[in-house]
Amino acid sequence: QVQLVESGGGLVQPGGSLRLSCAASRIIFSAYVRSWYRQAPGKRRELVAIISDGGSTNYADSVKGRFTISGDNAKNTMYLQMNSLKPEDTAVYYCYARPPFISTVDYWGQGTQVTVSS
C-alpha cells in the first residue's frame, strides 16, 4: 500500500525553524508532483509549496523566501525547511503527491501539527 508519512512537526517560537519530512513507500517519489499543504482551524486547506517531477519549485506568496521544498531521491523523501516562522504559519501540514498530468491517482499524508507560539 502506498503511504506518505510526515514527521518533524512540533512547537516552535516565532522566528524559529522546523524541517518537515515526508517519506514515501511503494512509489518512486521523485517521479511525482509533490506538494505541501496546510490547514489551520476554521480555514480551507491551502497549497504551501510544490516540487515537480522535474525538480522545479513554486511557493505561496505567504511563505516565499522563508520556506524551501526539496527532495532526496536516495531516501525517497521530500522536505519542507521552514525558517523565520510566524504565528500565522500554525497549521496541520500535509504531504501530497500525484503523477504528472494524471488526476485519477493521488496520495495524502496524515498531517503533522506545526504550532508557532511564544
Side-chain angles (χ1 to χ4, degrees):
Q1 183 177 17
V2 174
Q3 289 191 73
L4 305 180
V5 180
E6 297 111 329
S7 62
L11 176 64
V12 65
Q13 294 184 346
S17 298
L18 285 174
R19 188 176 72 164
L20 305 183
S21 299
C22 177
S25 62
R26 305 192 71 82
I27 60 170
I28 301 174
F29 211 8
S30 61
Y32 287 68
V33 179
R34 293 147 287 166
S35 307
W36 288 97
Y37 286 78
R38 68 186 182 188
Q39 187 168 24
K43 298 183 179 179
R44 65 174 56 223
R45 190 171 298 184
E46 64 175 348
L47 179 65
V48 176
I50 296 175
I51 183 166
S52 76
D53 55 306
S56 62
T57 60
N58 204 1
Y59 301 89
D61 287 342
S62 59
V63 307
K64 198 170 298 181
R66 299 188 297 120
F67 291 11
T68 303
I69 188 171
S70 63
D72 186 328
N73 294 351
K75 296 182 178 180
N76 215 34
T77 298
M78 77 162 174
Y79 304 95
L80 185 68
Q81 178 66 47
M82 305 185 294
N83 298 326
S84 301
L85 282 162
K86 305 174 181 179
E88 51 262 45
D89 296 318
T90 296
V92 178
Y93 284 71
Y94 296 91
C95 177
Y96 174 82
R98 66 165 177 83
F101 310 110
I102 298 174
S103 62
T104 56
V105 177
D106 61 12
Y107 304 100
W108 287 95
Q110 81 286 355
T112 185
Q113 177 71 48
V114 172
T115 302
V116 184
S117 176
S118 59

